[in-house]
Amino acid sequence: MNFNVLTIFPEMFVPFWEHGIVKKAIDRNLISVSTINIRDFAKGKHRVTDDRPYGGGSGMVVKPEPLANAIRAAKKTSPSLRTILLTPQGCSFSQKKARELAAEKGLILVCGRYEGVDERICHDFVDDEISIGDYVLTGGELASMIIIDAVVRLIPGALGNADSADNDSFSDSLLAHAQYTRPRTFEGEEVPEVLLSGNHQQIEEWRFEESLIRTFLKRQDLLKERLLSEREIEILKKWCRDIEKIIHAQSVFGSDTLSGNK
Ligand code: ADE
């Protein structure tokens, strides 16, 4: 897969290409990466890439000509690549979107700056607008890196363990289960016994339940938009029954007799 980033700060990407999974993916020829400096396509002695907004107002707007020419240059080498503008006005980036993008041959990522880019670029030169969240960054560079990072780890062979990405949070609209590593006891807290049992079926069941309940506790919104399987409904019902038993015990014995909690 080929990533071509259009930015006025190409140097920001140099350390990004040189670390972690992204570097490994480059070394293994799973991805190729390049940057195009939008400023190289700006005219005049000062190669200005921004200008004041028509109609007045604060801030500056990315000029259309250098950006259009930079996109044309990127498309020249790879005409069929999907062109994405990073902007807080785009559709929200998600794991689903990452999976969709990972199926592409490559991406041209256009990093906006200032108050935004000239609207005619959005109309005529980009296929998609993506936001990484409801907040405003000073530019699309960090957003591009986030998208590249999330997409690269989905490319087969990019992660050490072939099925690591299958167990990710959101891979099945659920959060990932809790993870533990050595030592067995850390500052008085033990690793759950089942994980030491060597019983793979029990471990799988524990992880499944843990993932479901974790999602319920932390991100109910994910469960609400998901079709639950019978197994999941059974687990949630069991939890309901356990909670009801605790509440019932309170009403039968009175809270004072149980644990002395006030
Ligand atoms: N550029 C500025 N803010 C952004 C955001 N939230 N997502 C993507 N690109 C941006």
Side-chain angles (χ1 to χ4, degrees):
M1 185 167 184
N2 169 232
F3 295 94
N4 198 347
V5 185
L6 277 50
T7 168
I8 56 166
F9 293 127
E11 62 282 7
M12 278 179 78
F13 287 83
V14 175
F16 179 61
W17 307 137
E18 288 177 353
H19 289 89
I21 297 290
V22 171
K23 179 179 184 325
K24 279 194 186 137
I26 295 169
D27 292 347
R28 290 176 185 155
N29 289 323
L30 296 172
I31 62 168
S32 58
V33 298
S34 51
T35 48
I36 288 183
N37 191 339
I38 298 165
R39 204 173 291 286
D40 291 345
F41 296 84
K43 296 215 168 70
K45 189 167 155 231
H46 298 292
R47 295 192 173 271
V48 174
T49 56
D50 60 332
D51 205 344
R52 284 171 289 127
Y54 272 121
S58 62
M60 301 294 268
V61 176
V62 179
K63 285 166 72 62
E65 307 95 319
L67 202 43
N69 287 331
I71 295 173
R72 282 197 190 101
K75 288 214 174 248
K76 207 170 193 172
T77 45
S78 25
S80 59
L81 294 197
R82 190 154 157 188
T83 306
I84 292 173
L85 174 69
L86 286 313
T87 160
Q89 298 184 6
C91 67
S92 298
F93 188 58
S94 62
Q95 191 64 21
K96 184 166 171 244
K97 194 79 185 172
R99 278 195 294 270
E100 184 189 316
L101 298 182
E104 295 281 335
K105 273 202 325 223
L107 300 173
I108 296 171
L109 296 161
V110 182
C111 304
R113 278 261 146 194
Y114 319 113
E115 292 303 302
V117 309
D118 188 287
E119 189 65 18
R120 290 161 291 185
I121 292 293
C122 311
H123 290 171
D124 304 331
F125 289 85
V126 305
D127 302 310
D128 255 333
E129 295 181 21
I130 296 184
S131 161
I132 57 155
D134 289 345
Y135 40 82
V136 180
L137 304 166
T138 51
E141 283 76 12
L142 292 173
S144 279
M145 290 183 206
I146 284 170
I147 289 175
I148 294 168
D149 190 285
V151 170
V152 167
R153 62 196 304 290
L154 296 176
I155 296 173
L159 296 178
N161 179 352
D163 59 7
S164 291
D166 294 343
N167 298 327
D168 282 347
S169 287
F170 312 111
S171 62
D172 190 22
S173 302
L174 291 180
L175 300 182
H177 56 76
Q179 297 278 18
Y180 296 87
T181 186
R182 282 175 288 191
R184 189 170 163 168
T185 309
F186 172 67
E187 304 206 345
E189 204 176 330
E190 292 281 339
V191 171
E193 199 63 41
V194 61
L195 299 179
L196 311 169
S197 67
N199 183 328
H200 295 295
Q201 191 188 333
Q202 273 181 19
I203 291 173
E204 191 279 327
E205 281 169 13
W206 180 87
R207 286 183 165 164
F208 188 76
E209 179 165 339
E210 157 65 23
S211 160
L212 181 67
I213 297 305
R214 205 168 244 259
T215 311
F216 171 73
L217 293 173
K218 294 188 178 188
R219 291 288 306 273
Q220 277 188 32
D221 57 307
L222 293 176
L223 283 191
K224 282 180 191 154
E225 58 198 36
R226 189 168 184 282
L227 194 62
L228 297 172
S229 68
E230 276 182 31
R231 185 182 178 194
E232 289 162 353
I233 291 172
E234 224 15 82
I235 292 171
L236 291 172
K237 278 185 179 167
K238 181 179 144 296
W239 270 68
C240 280
R241 287 194 296 271
D242 289 347
I243 292 167
E244 272 166 10
K245 271 188 219 153
I246 293 170
I247 295 169
H248 183 67
Q250 298 286 315
S251 59
V252 170
F253 302 116
S255 55
D256 285 352
T257 45
L258 279 172
S259 67
N261 283 349
K262 294 280 173 306

